Every structure is written in C-alpha cells, then in structure tokens.
Amino acid sequence: KEFDKGLKELKFAGGKEECLKLWQDLDGDNSGEISFEEFAPQEAELWNKFRHFAGSNFHGSKDMIFQLKGYYAKVNLLDPPNDEVLYEREFCDSLIGFGWQQGEEVLLWDAFCSDAQGNAVPCIYFKNLRWVDREVRIFKMKQAAKKKAEKITGVKQRIIQEAQLALKSFKAFMKKQFGNSFRAWRHALDLDGSMNLQRAELFKAVKALNWKGNCRALWKALDHDFSGITTIEEFDPDTAQVIAHFREWAVSMVENSRKPSEIFELVDRHNRKKLSHAQFQQELEHHGYSKKIKQLIHMLDWQDKKYICDRDLAFLDVWRPPAFLTGTPDPAAAAAFKKQLVTRHGHILKAWRFAMDKDGSNSCNWHEFQEAAKLVRFHGNLAGVWLALDADLSGSISLKEIDEDANDCLVEFKKWADEEFGGVRSAFTVLDA
C-alpha cells in the first residue's frame, strides 16, 4: 500500500502490471517489503552514516541547528545568530567542521529543506530534523548499554582467565606430587574408582592436598560442559585415550565375560597374583597388545607398588569411556553428518542453535552431539565424525569446527554488536526499546 501510494504521489505512468514488476525487481529477497538499502544502496549507506553522525555529535534537533549556526558564525566572524532556522551555507560548511567526512553535503541539504507537501524551502526548520532526537536517544541508550556490557564482559573474561590459570596450576601441582595425570586422578581425586568426580569430591580432595589455588575457578575449568561432574577424559583426554584403548582390547580378549578386569587372569598365566612392570609388559606383548605399554603400566600402577595386580584393573568394569576415545577420524562420515544437518535444518547455523548448542554455551559436548545425531537421524560412524571435528581432543566441538563460514558470519555479527552496543544482549535491549 505504501509503495502504491508513493508511486501515485510521484505520478508514475505505468499500470498495475508495471507497478507489480517494479515491486518484484526491488524486493529481491521476497520479504514483502522494500528497504532503503534495496532501493538505493549507496544513498542508504550515506544516510545511515549521517544518522550516526548526528546522533553522536548533537543533543537533539534544536541543538544541531544552534551548533551548526554558531560554528558558521564563529568561523566567518559574524554576529551570534538569533534565528532558529538553518541555511544552506551554514549547513554544508559547518558539517565538515564537526567532523563529517563522507561528503554529499548538498544532497543531504536537499533531503531536508522541504515542506510537508515536498516543496523546496530556503531553510531547515526544527521539524525537518525531528529524526535527530530519536537518533540521540538511540545513541545514549547504546552508550549506556555498551558501558554496562563492557563491565559484564570484563567479569566473564576474568572468570575464564582465572579458570584457565587454576587448571594449569593444579595440573602442575598434581604432576609434581604424583608423576602422571592418572596416578593423580586415582590417588587423590577419584578415591572410589568411579571414573567421575563431583564438585564436593573435588573440593574435599583439594583441601586434603593443601593446594592453595582457586578451587571454584578450577571446577569451572574441569566441568566445562556444565554437566555437574567431571571425568577423566575432561581432566586429561590423552590419558583417557591410552586407557580406553587398553580397555577395548581387554573386552575383546575376555568375550565371555562382562568384566574387562578379568584380562589380568588371562595375562597372569603362572598365577603369580601380581606382575612386575616388566612381566606385565611381556605378557601384554605376548597376547598381542602394543599400544603405549610403558605409559599404560605407569598409569595402572597408580599406588607406585612397582607391580600390577587384579585390583589395579577393577575400575575398568565401572568405566564406560565414550566411543570417540577408541575411534579414528572419519572425514567422509563428518561430511555426511554436515549434509544431514543442512537437510534437516536448512543451514548449519540454524542446525547449530537448534540441534547442537541448545543451551547456548557456544560448544557441543559428546552427549549433546549424540542427541543432535538422533534429532537429524544420522546413523553413521558417530565416533569417527566426532574425532574428525574435534581434532584437538578438547572434549567439545565449536561452530568453527563444524563450518568455518557459518562461524565467521556469527563472529562478524558479534563484532558489530560489540562495537556498536557492547554486546549482543545490549544490542537487542536498544533495538527493542
């Protein structure tokens, strides 16, 4: 209706078909409306910059007129102005003095010096610049929101940094105390051998160890998926991978039993009940196992007894390691998974928000990943997909690892919101004012 009315006022000579075709040509995205950007991209960019300039340099429409007139009078050694209208020279020359660098001052002048009927008038009145008042309000809201968001962002960044420093300090402390991560895990943290650790257990262990770091920050670093527990694969994924491979092999060797710990009975051929490191290594090699054996043995002997017995393997019966720890990267399956995401949701960014990152944490853990696969009905090599995407074994997948272009799109939006408003939440507060 607005479009038809505008064409009539402009005395457009075409008929209904010509009007419809013109509308379709202008509405390139089929949104049902035409923006200034679609109608005249260059002029729209100029207008947006001028709006920002006016909103950030003046306190309102009256202030804009008074300041531009005052500047012109001062530069040209004229008496202080006493009228409330703005003339062309005052407008065009003074804009440059206030820092306007985009040019097209005459074009902007022509846009404002008209009356209600669209007829040209020789000066600009307050009513021609009422839009400035709105831009000033928006600018003030943006500045207030930006200041508030910067404070919140500073707190968040400090929390992240504290968590990273705490984890680094704690791992160094534990390595010095126990030698390797698994010994530290079993000896000081996972006392019941459940292969997971709750918050209260960590705090109690840290107190007993007399570690002087930030315990709350440490927990934030360990429970990065906010599941309420942390696991050996979150504490040290490389260590978890070594033990998971051994457990997988043990399961294959004791097929008639549900207890992988019974592998000890198999390798203890002479019923010694305990095997030295050298004997245990020899027996594993005899039965065909060769993956990082020395490292594995030092982990299994977490009490530093200098031998391995059946009790050292009991935790294998409890632990259910995620499948990706023993899988291999499968790029083809990863490509198929991405294709399924697009098929189900239209594009990766939507799939990321609705299927993989439902909690808005900007990361997808293994459990969330499995749920996402179910949602999009992907039945391929899930562990292979995970490993192809989580190449650094960080324990989580980011949007960048899924689709770099989609990530870049989101990052650019975030940068814009940060620069203009101090953050995305602040941007919506201002835009939805």
Side-chain angles (χ1 to χ4, degrees), residues 331-343:
F337 176 72
K338 292 178 188 178
K339 184 178 179 181
Q340 193 70 6
L341 287 175
V342 174
T343 300

Side-chain angles (χ1 to χ4, degrees), residues 385-406:
V385 174
W386 176 270
L387 288 170
L389 298 173
D390 184 31
D392 57 356
L393 273 182
S394 64
S396 63
I397 292 173
S398 66
L399 177 58
K400 186 175 183 179
E401 289 171 308
I402 293 284
D403 189 302
E404 196 160 346
D405 289 339

Side-chain angles (χ1 to χ4, degrees), residues 165-179 211 235:
L165 288 172
L167 182 59
K168 185 178 180 180
S169 170
F170 185 68
K171 282 190 172 183
F173 174 82
M174 296 296 272
K175 186 175 182 180
K176 185 177 180 180
Q177 291 281 326
F178 301 102
W211 180 64
F235 183 65

Side-chain angles (χ1 to χ4, degrees), residues 295-312:
Q295 185 180 353
L296 171 69
I297 291 172
H298 280 287
M299 291 176 185
L300 295 177
D301 185 18
W302 57 275
Q303 294 174 307
D304 200 22
K305 308 182 303 297
K306 308 302 180 186
Y307 65 83
I308 305 294
C309 63
D310 56 355
R311 293 193 310 276
D312 296 322

Side-chain angles (χ1 to χ4, degrees), residues 63-255:
D63 182 63
M64 184 175 181
I65 287 179
F66 288 145
Q67 289 214 49
L68 292 179
K69 287 180 73 67
Y71 180 86
Y72 183 82
K74 183 179 179 180
V75 170
N76 291 281
L77 304 177
L78 302 174
D79 294 332
N82 55 14
D83 55 350
E84 297 181 348
V85 294
L86 193 62
Y87 295 95
E88 183 173 0
R89 289 267 51 88
E90 293 173 323
F91 179 83
C92 295
D93 293 354
S94 299
L95 283 181
I96 299 171
F98 272 85
W100 175 251
Q101 299 177 348
Q102 306 302 319
E104 302 292 354
E105 293 84 10
V106 176
L107 177 64
L108 292 167
W109 166 263
D110 289 338
F112 302 131
C113 59
S114 59
D115 58 21
Q117 286 72 41
N119 300 315
V121 293
C123 56
I124 294 176
Y125 298 92
F126 293 140
K127 61 183 179 182
N128 300 103
L129 298 176
R130 283 175 182 166
W131 58 269
V132 177
D133 300 325
R134 179 178 180 275
E135 293 302 322
V136 170
R137 288 196 300 272
I138 291 175
F139 178 75
K140 287 180 178 179
M141 290 175 66
K142 284 167 63 175
Q143 292 301 102
K146 192 172 184 179
K147 186 177 180 180
K148 183 179 179 181
E150 284 172 351
K151 185 177 180 180
I152 295 172
T153 301
V155 172
K156 287 182 177 179
Q157 288 177 341
R158 188 172 70 251
I159 290 172
I160 292 171
Q161 289 172 354
E162 287 175 353
Q164 291 172 340
L165 288 172
L167 182 59
K168 185 178 180 180
S169 170
F170 185 68
K171 282 190 172 183
F173 174 82
M174 296 296 272
K175 186 175 182 180
K176 185 177 180 180
Q177 291 281 326
F178 301 102
N180 65 58
S181 295
F182 190 71
R183 281 188 177 185
W185 175 266
R186 289 302 317 276
H187 199 284
L189 301 177
D190 182 26
L191 301 181
D192 60 1
S194 63
M195 297 303 284
N196 60 56
L197 190 68
Q198 295 184 357
R199 189 169 181 258
E201 289 179 297
L202 176 70
F203 282 23
K204 185 178 179 180
V206 167
K207 185 177 180 180
L209 288 165
N210 199 30
W211 180 64
K212 302 298 184 183
N214 187 333
C215 202
R216 293 181 185 276
L218 174 62
W219 178 255
K220 285 186 179 294
L222 289 173
D223 184 30
H224 58 77
D225 61 359
F226 307 107
S227 63
I229 61 171
T230 189
T231 61
I232 183 63
E233 55 266 23
E234 288 178 297
F235 183 65
D236 191 328
D238 292 329
T239 291
Q241 194 172 48
V242 171
I243 300 172
H245 278 295
F246 175 67
R247 185 186 184 280
E248 183 183 51
W249 174 78
V251 169
S252 69
M253 295 297 287
V254 290
E255 290 181 354

